[in-house]
Amino acid sequence: MDRGTSTAALVADALALIAAPACACDGEGTIWAANAALVELAGGDVVGRPLVSLFCPRTAAAMAVEIRLSQSGERRWDGLIEHGTTGRPVEVRAKPLSPEGATFVFGDVLTFGDGQAALRGRLLEQAAVVEHAPVGIAVTLPDLVKSCNPRMAEMLGYAPEELINHSPAQVFASRAQYDAFIGEAVLVLTTGSLFEKSEVPLRRRDGSAIWCRIRAKAVDMSAREAGTVWIVEDVTDARQALTEIQSIMTNATIGIFFTRARTITRYNHCFGSMFGYAPGEVLGRSTRVLYTDDAAFDAMGRTAYGVLGQGGSFKTETTMVRRDGTRMWVNMIGYAVNPEELGTGTMIWMIEDRTGQKAAEESLRNALLENQAILDNAVLGIAVVEKGRTLHCNRKMEELFGHRGGSIEGLPVRELYPDDAGWIAAREQTRRDFEAGRVHMAEYELVRRDGKRFWARLSGRPFDMADRGGRSVWLIDDVTAQREAADALRRARDELEVRVQERTAELQAEIVERRQAEARVHHMAYHDALTGLPNRALLSDRLDRALLAARRDGMKLALLFIDLDRFKTINDSLGHLAGDHLLKEVAQRLCRVVRASDTVARLGGDEFVVLVPDVRAAEECGLVGDKIIAALATPVEFEGHSLHISPSIGICLYPDDGDDAAGLMRKADAAMYYAKAAGRNNYQYYAEPMNAAAARHFEMETRLRGALLREEFVLFYQPIVGVQDGRVHGLEVLLRWRHPEQGLVAPDDFIPILEENGLIVPVGEWVIRRACEQAMAWQRAGLPALPLAVNLSARQFMHRGLIQSIRAIVDDTGIEPGLLEFEITETALMQHGGQTLETLGQIYRMGIRLSIDDFGTGYSSLAYLKRFPVRKIKIDRAFVRDLETSSEDQAIVAAIMALAGSLGMDVVAEGVENEAQLALLRRHGCRYAQGYLFARPVDAKAIAGLLQDVW
């Protein structure tokens, strides 16, 4: 690097004025100026030599790191200058030198002997932390373990020397798994952040699996060769417990501090964060500041130092106090660096904040009591089985088998079967089903405690599909009565068949077969194959006959055109088997609520028609509509899913609305679309303007099909602000349609149409891509990088190409995944079970955040909710609108806040329009809000101006 003559001269003069050895180095660490004291210390001229060459060779690597870090900030460290046969300990103080390089001043560490003692003392402190740490600690260079503590080697089944100077890949199941893990870690570590992963599968030396919680921090985020510190905790047992009780545990933060004579001499960042102290703020102060009162301080001293004086470690759980006076429950471990210097020597203390765990344990205990109450009142027997034994069961299970007082718990499952053959057959079939990933369902003969046998229907599945040989849960229902009834029916049918065969023995087989074939052909021609209802052809014939009879008798008749709301969503997400089951159940329910003289027909898909002859007044049709809505309100159960369906019903009458079959069908169809537009799950009578409304709906649907290509869609953005500081913390992305003639169309008018015809998938992909491109444009313009919240519809969320599409958009636009947040409605999350968890997991592993939209309006299952990797929930505006006047809404908001707090989630309130609502939300601890009180949705240009004003 070229330097001006004047600058070099000034630096050289400044070095000459320093009494201690000193020098100046360039950006490569080469000495370009030094004073006489350094020349004397080094035993010769040093200009042009690398500074690292002055130090003892065994410390050269560490010194090189310190020299490089000195160019970015002031540093101070101890080193050993090569001097004679033993080396000379020095204290090095470094300051950056503009434009690059640094100056270094060398001072003696007291005397030679004292310097060695000081270094040795610090090494003892550091070694005590690492050696006694309850977690594994390792330092790595790229693809190389530099060092590790005994706990790390012990956890993995190695001796320390078998890990040191070897690749960390040997403790992973495969090289690919290791590369993927390191790739994920590097993305975080190079930003200077703490990398943390709660569950990572590793491989012990004997090949067995161990689940670990891993935290890491780069020594220097700009240079990977500076090394990385890893903290590894064995959470295998904790993970097993979490799987059994289906709960989420919070990783503890460990604080470390050093004391001498009960005075704080050093502490780490975690300790400062835990107690609310800034770096260095509490140094030199008595540890009394950590205790609630003098009595607690004195009692802890007597107890702890009594144990530590015997050379052991001290462990306890106690209450401590933060800087602001709040109390917390901690787990504390203490060690003496040198037990012989107990009063004056250095003590090492490790503290884990267990306040949250204490609250979680109480919450868990309450939840277990609630779950036990539910299980004890269930109508089915429920049991948890592991390794052929019954671990837990409910009261109904004990009643079924004649046991009382928990005597069935721990009982071998074999004793519930009357013989070995039945037990072996059941076990083998269960094994096959579990290995295939299926729920096992079958009926078996079992035996009660008193020896009586009965038939039971068993349904079982593993707790964890990844561990199919582990624990499993079983439902047991006594079906003895049903089997006896079925046997009786079968015997009666057999007897009837015998009588029929006797009566028809004289008929020729050819005639019987021909008539049966004719009957089948006739039925297939006029009935729906799936539901058995009359089809369009038979309905048309019956409608023509009914019209003739109505004209003759001067009566009215009615047509009810029924369309099932959101049936396509269920059919697309759960498959055609679920859709077919739902259609058959709907057909049966419709037949049960109409008269015998009425006709229920299926036109195809999810469209049904009810023909009601002999109608005296239009009000009678409304009664039929109410019955249909009520009949379909009860969910349909299918393979563990509760399928919710509702009808939209259009009603027209003869002769009021027309006198021919085609016209009546068309007008009933138009009235049905009007019912959908009116909010679904209702019925509407035909009115003449509905033809125009149906035409507008058709025109809008037609126009929407080309809107994306014509670039008629536009994105608006609404700020999400902090309730406490009023700053913009994010933006919600909102889709708008700029119709060439009507202008901006309200979302409620066109988004349902996109959902119905499937266009929501390509339009949704366009929204994500356009929002990411806009975010990157704002960043290039110098605006702050704010998170974007994008809504995912239920249909878009279940689309198979969603994950691939998101990855492509993130790669193409270059956006940081952490700046994306997808909002999924509560209903969409709950409807799809395991598939939802898999999709959410893939999105979460990309680094994209997830939130639940319209929370409180669906039917959340807390058992699922706590397993979802979501970090935010949005309170629906329906609970905010009347918040200042409605005690019920206030209670709901408080409950949601409590739930979010227990699950570690943030909360955003939607639809905040006045200061009173904001004050109540602030009082309940809500962190974020959005609504007209802060800003209306605006386009990208207006948002840019708003952010410039704010920032």
Side-chain angles (χ1 to χ4, degrees):
M1 174 179 176
D2 295 333
R3 299 178 182 272
T5 304
S6 60
T7 302
L10 288 174
V11 173
D13 292 343
L15 294 176
L17 296 175
I18 299 175
C23 68
C25 293
D26 60 17
E28 300 298 325
T30 302
I31 301 173
W32 61 269
N35 63 6
L38 181 60
V39 173
E40 180 182 354
L41 176 65
D45 190 16
V46 296
V47 174
R49 290 177 58 184
L51 177 58
V52 71
S53 68
L54 302 185
F55 294 91
C56 291
R58 64 178 179 272
T59 65
M63 296 300 100
V65 173
E66 294 289 352
I67 292 168
R68 183 168 57 257
L69 295 178
S70 298
Q71 299 188 35
S72 58
E74 293 188 12
R75 297 189 66 79
R76 178 177 178 180
W77 74 90
D78 294 334
L80 197 62
I81 292 290
E82 191 169 14
H83 188 84
T85 59
T86 59
R88 182 173 180 177
V90 294
E91 178 187 66
V92 185
R93 297 186 181 183
K95 289 186 178 180
L97 185 63
S98 177
E100 63 178 354
T103 60
F104 301 86
V105 179
F106 302 84
D108 286 338
V109 182
L110 301 179
T111 65
F112 181 80
D114 293 337
Q116 290 283 36
L119 289 175
R120 186 165 53 252
R122 293 187 184 179
L123 289 174
L124 281 173
E125 292 178 0
Q126 295 171 357
V129 173
V130 175
E131 291 294 323
H132 295 284
V135 295
I137 302 175
V139 178
T140 66
L141 296 176
D143 203 29
L144 183 68
V145 178
K146 183 178 178 183
S147 64
C148 70
N149 68 343
R151 176 56 182 160
M152 173 71 82
E154 176 190 352
M155 283 193 301
L156 298 171
Y158 290 90
E161 58 270 16
E162 293 179 296
L163 292 178
I164 297 173
N165 294 326
H166 289 77
S167 171
Q170 67 180 322
V171 299
F172 285 80
S174 65
R175 182 73 191 194
Q177 182 182 356
Y178 167 71
D179 291 340
F181 173 79
I182 289 299
E184 183 180 355
V186 167
L187 292 177
V188 178
L189 295 173
T190 53
T191 66
S193 301
L194 174 69
F195 172 72
E196 185 168 2
K197 203 166 182 67
S198 60
E199 290 185 357
V200 178
L202 299 181
R203 182 179 62 184
R204 293 189 179 97
R205 191 176 189 278
D206 60 6
S208 61
I210 177 175
W211 286 87
C212 296
R213 176 189 177 198
I214 298 180
R215 287 169 290 172
K217 185 76 174 181
V219 175
D220 178 8
M221 66 182 179
S222 64
R224 290 188 62 189
E225 64 271 15
T228 305
V229 179
W230 303 83
I231 297 178
V232 181
E233 297 178 63
D234 183 354
V235 296
T236 306
D237 294 339
R239 183 177 184 272
Q240 177 63 26
L242 285 174
T243 302
E244 180 179 357
I245 64 177
Q246 299 180 342
S247 169
I248 300 177
M249 299 286 289
T250 305
N251 288 321
T253 301
I254 298 176
I256 302 175
F257 70 104
F258 299 80
T259 65
R260 186 183 295 272
R262 303 198 78 179
T263 299
I264 299 173
T265 61
R266 232 164 89 203
Y267 58 88
N268 68 349
H269 175 73
C270 292
F271 172 86
S273 299
M274 186 183 302
F275 286 91
Y277 291 104
E281 180 182 359
V282 76
L283 290 179
R285 296 179 63 180
S286 169
T287 54
R288 167 65 181 81
V289 298
L290 307 179
Y291 295 88
T292 56
D293 50 43
D294 291 336
F297 174 68
D298 294 338
M300 181 60 70
R302 289 191 301 271
T303 305
Y305 282 81
V307 174
L308 294 172
Q310 300 175 7
S313 61
F314 174 74
K315 299 180 182 179
T316 188
E317 286 193 359
T318 186
T319 301
M320 287 190 162
V321 62
R322 297 185 179 92
R323 187 180 188 278
D324 59 6
T326 59
R327 299 188 179 192
M328 63 177 174
W329 190 266
V330 301
N331 182 22
M332 185 164 64
I333 303 174
Y335 304 92
V337 174
N338 188 353
E340 296 178 357
E341 301 176 352
L342 191 62
T344 60
T346 298
M347 314 295 296
I348 305 174
W349 305 88
M350 296 184 182
I351 290 187
E352 179 183 13
D353 184 355
R354 286 190 50 81
T355 306
Q357 287 89 331
K358 283 287 186 180
E361 288 169 4
E362 181 63 22
S363 176
L364 177 60
R365 188 180 69 84
N366 294 335
L368 288 175
L369 291 175
E370 294 173 1
N371 289 341
Q372 190 60 46
I374 294 172
L375 291 175
D376 285 343
N377 290 281
V379 297
L380 297 178
I382 303 174
V384 177
V385 174
E386 184 179 36
K387 296 180 179 178
R389 289 187 175 272
T390 303
L391 297 183
H392 311 290
C393 70
N394 66 345
R395 189 175 302 152
K396 182 62 177 179
M397 179 79 170
E398 293 180 340
E399 293 176 359
L400 284 175
F401 289 93
H403 288 262
R404 291 292 184 271
S407 60
I408 198 172
E409 295 185 357
L411 190 70
V413 178
R414 164 63 187 86
E415 296 189 16
L416 305 181
Y417 287 79
D419 50 48
D420 288 338
W423 157 241
I424 293 172
R427 186 175 59 182
E428 181 62 22
Q429 183 60 47
T430 300
R431 182 189 63 78
R432 288 197 297 268
D433 287 342
F434 282 5
E435 288 180 353
R438 297 189 299 266
V439 173
H440 176 65
M441 296 184 65
E443 293 184 2
Y444 298 103
E445 190 176 30
L446 304 179
V447 62
R448 293 186 171 90
R449 188 176 187 181
D450 59 5
K452 293 182 179 178
R453 299 187 179 191
F454 69 101
W455 282 93
R457 180 180 296 116
L458 274 64
S459 174
R461 61 163 294 153
F463 266 97
D464 185 358
M465 294 305 291
D467 183 16
R468 295 166 184 169
R471 292 187 178 182
S472 56
V473 61
W474 292 84
L475 304 180
I476 300 96
D477 187 17
D478 186 349
V479 295
T480 305
Q482 293 94 312
R483 288 182 67 94
E484 290 176 351
D487 289 342
L489 180 61
R490 187 163 47 252
R491 289 193 298 270
R493 185 189 62 196
D494 294 342
E495 294 174 0
L496 179 60
E497 288 178 354
V498 170
R499 291 196 297 270
V500 170
Q501 290 174 0
E502 292 174 351
R503 295 286 304 273
T504 59
E506 298 177 357
L507 298 176
Q508 297 180 6
E510 181 182 349
I511 297 174
V512 173
E513 183 178 352
R514 184 173 64 250
R515 289 181 177 177
Q516 290 175 346
E518 290 173 352
R520 285 195 298 271
V521 170
H522 183 272
H523 188 273
M524 291 172 61
Y526 291 99
H527 290 81
D528 176 57
L530 177 64
T531 62
L533 295 177
N535 60 12
R536 189 184 296 270
L538 185 54
L539 173 65
S540 178
D541 179 72
R542 291 188 180 180
L543 179 56
D544 290 337
R545 293 170 182 248
L547 285 172
L548 290 174
R551 293 190 188 100
R552 183 185 65 238
D553 301 332
M555 296 292 291
K556 297 177 182 288
L557 66 81
L559 278 180
L560 282 72
F561 199 106
I562 304 168
D563 185 89
L564 303 181
D565 302 328
R566 300 182 181 89
F567 172 80
K568 290 182 179 178
T569 300
I570 296 174
N571 201 48
D572 292 345
S573 58
L574 298 183
H576 293 292
L577 289 179
D580 291 348
H581 178 81
L582 181 60
L583 290 173
K584 289 188 284 188
E585 180 63 21
V586 168
Q588 295 174 9
R589 294 185 185 184
L590 290 176
C591 292
R592 287 198 293 266
V593 299
V594 300
R595 303 172 303 183
S597 58
D598 300 337
T599 296
V600 179
R602 180 185 177 216
L603 300 185
D606 58 341
E607 294 180 342
F608 295 83
V609 171
V610 178
L611 169 60
V612 183
D614 299 331
V615 174
R616 295 180 178 80
E619 290 75 12
E620 296 179 14
C621 303
L623 296 177
V624 177
D626 289 334
K627 289 181 179 179
I628 292 173
I629 292 173
L632 301 185
T634 303
V636 178
E637 301 298 327
F638 179 73
E639 294 185 352
H641 296 279
S642 291
L643 309 181
H644 294 260
I645 201 73
S646 62
S648 293
I649 306 172
I651 304 175
C652 73
L653 289 93
Y654 165 86
D656 302 359
D657 302 322
D659 59 356
D660 66 288
L664 290 172
M665 288 288 290
R666 186 173 61 255
K667 292 175 180 179
D669 188 23
M672 180 273 294
Y673 276 107
Y674 196 75
K676 280 188 175 294
R680 308 171 187 257
N681 199 28
N682 70 95
Y683 58 84
Q684 296 291 331
Y685 290 91
Y686 174 79
E688 192 58 38
M690 289 184 183
N691 274 337
R696 285 195 302 273
H697 183 279
F698 177 79
E699 188 275 336
M700 183 173 291
E701 182 176 6
T702 303
R703 182 78 191 183
L704 275 172
R705 293 188 179 277
L708 189 59
L709 293 176
R710 293 190 297 270
E711 299 182 352
E712 295 175 358
F713 290 115
V714 64
L715 296 185
F716 275 44
Y717 305 84
Q718 186 173 32
I720 301 172
V721 303
V723 170
Q724 300 297 332
D725 56 15
R727 292 179 57 197
V728 177
H729 288 264
L731 300 171
E732 182 175 9
V733 182
L734 303 170
L735 178 63
R736 297 292 186 267
W737 178 26
R738 202 181 297 279
H739 194 283
E741 290 128 19
Q742 302 176 19
L744 283 178
V745 181
D748 291 342
D749 292 338
F750 72 91
I751 288 182
I753 299 177
L754 294 176
E755 291 273 7
E756 291 175 4
N757 59 24
L759 286 174
I760 194 65
V761 173
V763 172
E765 181 178 348
W766 177 87
V767 170
I768 299 172
R769 181 176 293 277
R770 185 68 190 92
C772 293
E773 292 171 349
Q774 183 61 65
M776 298 305 294
W778 282 333
Q779 292 184 41
R780 288 192 294 272
L783 295 176
L786 290 177
L788 298 180
V790 182
N791 288 278
L792 286 182
S793 73
R795 192 159 186 176
Q796 185 182 5
F797 179 66
M798 297 311 300
H799 190 263
R800 296 183 182 277
L802 175 65
I803 301 301
Q804 183 179 357
S805 171
I806 293 173
R807 285 200 180 99
I809 292 172
V810 171
D811 293 339
D812 293 344
T813 62
I815 192 170
E816 174 64 34
L819 293 177
L820 271 181
E821 177 177 295
F822 288 139
E823 297 181 1
I824 304 100
T825 64
E826 186 180 10
T827 302
L829 282 176
M830 296 303 143
Q831 280 186 339
H832 310 297
Q835 186 177 354
T836 297
L837 284 173
E838 175 60 24
T839 302
L840 291 177
Q842 293 184 61
I843 296 175
Y844 180 77
R845 287 190 290 274
M846 281 191 270
I848 298 173
R849 295 183 289 183
L850 297 163
S851 64
I852 303 176
D853 197 13
D854 299 337
F855 188 81
T857 62
Y859 46 97
S860 291
S861 165
L862 295 182
Y864 268 113
L865 184 59
K866 64 185 179 183
R867 295 174 59 192
F868 292 149
V870 296
R871 292 295 175 264
K872 186 182 294 181
I873 58 179
K874 301 189 76 173
I875 302 176
D876 187 71
R877 65 184 66 249
F879 303 120
V880 177
R881 185 185 303 113
D882 301 320
L883 188 61
E884 63 268 45
T885 59
S886 172
S887 59
E888 291 84 1
D889 287 347
Q890 293 181 19
I892 291 172
V893 169
I896 293 175
M897 293 303 305
L899 173 64
S902 66
L903 296 179
M905 296 180 179
D906 287 331
V907 177
V908 180
E910 297 179 299
V912 179
E913 297 182 358
N914 56 59
E915 291 291 342
Q917 296 170 346
L918 180 61
L920 285 169
L921 290 169
R922 186 181 291 119
R923 186 186 309 161
H924 286 298
C926 182
R927 292 189 62 187
Y928 306 107
Q930 65 184 100
Y932 288 174
L933 177 63
F934 310 104
R936 292 177 177 269
V938 294
D939 59 17
K941 185 180 298 183
I943 281 293
L946 173 64
L947 294 181
Q948 287 175 341
D949 293 340
V950 172
W951 294 84

